[in-house]
Amino acid sequence: MTTFSVGEHDFLLDGSPHQILSGALHYFRIQPEQWADRIHKARLLGLNTIETYVAWNAHEPVEGQWSWADGLDLAAFLKAVADEGMHAIVRPAPYICAEWDNGGLPAWLFGDGAAGVRRDEPVFMAAVERYLRRVYEVIEPLQIDHGGPVILVQIENEYGAYGSDPEYLRKLVGITRAAGITVPLTTVDQPEDDMLSAGSLPELLHTGSFGSRSPERLATLRRHQPTGPLMCMEYWNGWFDDWGTPHHTTDAAASAADLDLLLGSGASVNLYMLCGGTNFGLTNGANDKGTYEPIVTSYDYDAPLDEAGHPTAKYWAFREVIGRYTELSAEVPAGFSPAPVLGSPFTGEVDLLDAVEASGSRVGVGHLPTMDEMGQFHGLAVYRTRIDLDEDAELSFADIRDRALVLVDGEVAGALDRARKVFSAAIPAGSHEVTLLVEDQGRVDYGPRLGEPKGLIGPAVVRFDSGETTEIGDWSYLPVPADPLPLLEPTSAPDHSASDHPARDGRPVLRRGSLDVAGPADLFLDTAGWGAGVVWFNGLCLGRFWDVGPQRTLYVPSPLVRTGANDVVVLDLHPRAGARIATLAEPILDSPIAG
């Protein structure tokens, strides 16, 4: 039986000192058919371990409806790690951050009856225990002392930056040990005294998260971890991107030099990220430290392996450093190969609002509902009301989460935008039907705004020049279906030729076309000439696009690509005439494309 433990100064593998050389791969951000490729390239980099989070809301998006399917098979992922002869670190949290929607916490946790999260509160803890027991049923038989790859399990995640409830942490440890987890347990926090003090327990191994000044960070960690091995559980070798801001990169040589200092001190490391992958679907998170900043679809992270799994300059710089501390394989991974360049027109187009209206029955309510109240935890929803005005006025809301197109009598009249703090729209005198198409752009993943509801946040008031206000209480709503394909059927809405009816009056559209491919291959779908919205490729939601940049291409993994015709559906909130389907030879993640 193989053993793994925490010694006086080192990790001990079968009693001998062991330096963990790990890289982060999130199984839920990479297609299962590509797991083995990314794991193999990790080993060729010189790593001996793979780390992953577990995203609770991916596995249980609706309370009581659990899934290990559709790319969420954690056991299969861990077995793929073992097949490569590597160890695994699992971080099930329940909160993960990870620039992931709601930090991995399911939106349903925050509904009626939920009294508090990330603390010792009965409603939350009951849900957490059910969640962790499901996860530990997978992890327990795959621990190293059972012949599996798992050597460490993390309790919570950067908890010292959020709270300081030691009883909550103790209960998480109790649930973990009661489920048969016997490997060492860790916590992680940024190397700041207050965070390290609040975020762990004396019996747990403290680890750090940082991306520079390693000797200084490790010294701070040592003050809080007098004995045992030092480890950077998140060595930030890159960063994530927000819509409308420049693409983040870090210098490969500088990152490698700092990594050398870290490893040279004898510390262990987990590269965050090794390969970031993609926020498929509508899974990207957002940050809000005074300004709401939604995260882009790509989670490339400027990592050693790019979003498509190709080695970057950082990969080779890190490999040279890691080779000073471990023996490297003579095998090296292949470099980047250009993707096929393809193009085709859209062949069909429907008005989105007409199609949604034809797809379901509108619900009338006597108050302004959130999307969460509708049971719509992702995507878009249509709100409607009638306003009768004797004079021009403004319709305003307490908050918009996160963006809304405003239509007056069916004509686009503007947009409300949380990030730009635009919460009101002008409404002319008269009797008008006012429609708002509201888009959830990603739930906040870090800090006190975790769990906030999406949609229109009331009160909704009409404000006159005199300062007088009138609240609007009568609303109807209709969620936009998560699967757009039925909306494209002739029974849902009249089909319009993309050439005959280009972007009718600027109203949102669903467009459909086919891309003919000679054989399965990675593709980079070009969104230039599109506005903002969501793309589905052969039925899988690739994620969001937006012409504010910096991300211009959407990655299409080869397992999704069929020989011959491939179905492409685009929901475009700001459609333009002349838009078409095209792919590029390589990704573009660093260029604003508005204009």
Side-chain angles (χ1 to χ4, degrees), residues 27-283:
Y27 61 97
F28 45 87
R29 279 179 160 135
I30 298 171
Q31 294 299 297
E33 298 90 339
Q34 297 177 318
W35 290 343
D37 171 76
R38 309 304 191 257
I39 295 167
H40 182 61
K41 288 172 179 171
R43 186 175 64 78
L44 299 186
L45 181 59
L47 303 184
N48 54 35
T49 305
I50 296 294
E51 176 273 321
T52 188
Y53 280 129
V54 179
W56 182 359
N57 56 4
H59 291 281
E60 194 178 12
V62 177
E63 186 174 9
Q65 296 182 18
W66 187 274
S67 175
W68 294 112
D70 300 324
L72 297 175
D73 192 340
L74 175 61
F77 178 77
L78 294 175
K79 288 171 183 174
V81 172
D83 288 344
E84 190 64 39
M86 301 181 74
H87 296 147
I89 299 169
V90 185
R91 301 201 284 164
Y95 163 80
I96 63 173
C97 185
E99 292 71 59
W100 184 262
D101 186 67
N102 221 24
L105 294 171
W108 53 260
L109 275 174
F110 299 85
D112 293 341
V117 298
R118 302 189 74 190
R119 61 187 176 90
D120 181 21
E121 184 279 316
V123 175
F124 178 62
M125 290 306 300
V128 167
E129 182 165 3
R130 290 191 298 269
Y131 158 67
L132 287 177
R133 286 192 178 278
R134 284 184 181 272
V135 175
Y136 291 146
E137 285 175 0
V138 170
I139 297 174
E140 190 273 336
L142 294 173
Q143 296 177 94
I144 191 167
D145 54 359
H146 295 348
V150 178
I151 58 173
L152 295 175
V153 169
Q154 183 175 290
I155 299 296
E156 246 286 356
N157 188 60
E158 294 188 327
Y159 185 63
Y162 182 88
S164 57
D165 184 348
E167 188 58 28
Y168 166 58
L169 296 177
R170 288 189 189 97
K171 287 190 174 181
L172 293 180
V173 172
I175 293 167
T176 302
R177 291 305 191 199
I181 302 303
T182 57
V183 296
L185 304 181
T186 69
T187 58
V188 62
D189 278 289
Q190 296 177 46
E192 298 183 17
D193 290 326
D194 55 344
M195 293 186 187
L196 288 166
S197 296
S200 194
L201 298 171
E203 63 267 29
L204 302 177
L205 181 70
H206 298 43
T207 69
S209 54
F210 51 87
S212 61
R213 294 155 48 199
S214 288
E216 174 188 339
R217 313 294 196 188
L218 292 172
T220 302
L221 183 59
R222 178 52 81 200
R223 289 202 303 272
H224 293 262
Q225 184 73 54
T227 63
L230 293 176
M231 181 170 185
C232 179
M233 186 60 78
E234 293 187 16
Y235 181 68
W236 299 329
N237 50 47
W239 207 244
F240 55 90
D241 291 335
D242 307 310
W243 289 113
T245 63
H247 175 55
H248 291 87
T249 60
T250 58
D251 182 74
S255 291
D258 199 81
L259 177 63
D260 195 16
L261 293 174
L262 191 159
L263 296 179
S265 72
S268 291
V269 71
N270 177 50
L271 305 177
Y272 192 97
M273 295 292 297
L274 169 67
C275 180
T278 307
N279 294 315
F280 293 112
L282 305 177
T283 56

Side-chain angles (χ1 to χ4, degrees), residues 344-346 349 498 502 511 527-531 570 572 575-581:
S344 65
F346 287 105
E349 178 180 292
R511 288 170 164 156
T527 66
W530 303 355
V570 176
D572 200 335
R576 302 172 187 164
R580 65 193 311 270
I581 304 169

Side-chain angles (χ1 to χ4, degrees), residues 533-552:
V534 185
V535 181
W536 291 261
F537 192 95
N538 288 334
L540 180 86
C541 184
L542 295 181
R544 311 172 197 267
F545 65 91
W546 198 358
D547 64 4
V548 299
Q551 181 177 355
R552 172 172 161 176

